Amino acid sequence: MTAPLADHLHAVPAARVAPEVDPNAVALSGLDCDITVGELDSWSNRLARLLLQDGAGPGERIVIAIDAPIEELVAQRAVAKIGAVAVPAGRSARGERQGITTRQSRREADGIMNWLVLDDRTTLRRYLTGSDAPLGATDLPVARRAA
């Protein structure tokens, strides 16, 4: 191998098996409650399905405007599960079409964005009746399955 080519080679670390995570382990503690790894997974699966139903998909930027740490973590995980990108509310570039928020955190001035308001009665009904099973190939858009 010639020297100029050798300068551009990088060693790729070997793949490692992900360790098993206890579903009862606490993922995050809030002011008045804890969320376990298993609950985080279930809650984020339900929220991911709502996002997909509302037209979100891989590569989209979804604004997260939530002040509660547990709800924010669930939203970030749900966004990641559908292959979208979570954008903190303060860093929004105004090109985003969808967001996740609560009534308390929602910015009234932004009427252009489609907000999924977590504590809205209609959202809660959809959320609580949705499946918390892991997302499968049939749940995800074709663009993601091709990737």
Side-chain angles (χ1 to χ4, degrees), residues 28-31 63-76 88-90 100-107 115 118-119:
L28 183 69
S29 293
L31 293 175
V63 175
I64 298 179
I66 303 172
D67 291 332
I70 290 177
E71 287 82 353
E72 183 179 18
L73 179 62
V74 170
Q76 290 170 348
I100 305 169
T101 192
T102 60
R103 280 188 246 170
Q104 181 179 349
S105 301
R106 184 174 178 180
R107 295 174 297 167
W115 287 104
L118 296 179
D119 51 355

Side-chain angles (χ1 to χ4, degrees), residues 80-147:
K81 284 184 177 192
I82 65 169
V85 177
V87 178
R91 296 195 178 181
S92 174
R94 297 284 182 198
E96 295 82 6
R97 299 176 315 152
Q98 288 190 293
I100 305 169
T101 192
T102 60
R103 280 188 246 170
Q104 181 179 349
S105 301
R106 184 174 178 180
R107 295 174 297 167
E108 295 299 326
D110 192 352
I112 299 170
M113 191 173 301
N114 178 26
W115 287 104
L116 181 61
V117 182
L118 296 179
D119 51 355
D120 177 76
R121 179 180 228 148
T122 305
T123 302
L124 282 170
R125 189 175 298 128
R126 290 174 55 209
Y127 181 79
L128 294 174
T129 58
S131 171
D132 66 354
L135 274 67
T138 57
D139 296 306
L140 301 172
V142 175
R144 174 122 187 241
R145 280 186 256 148

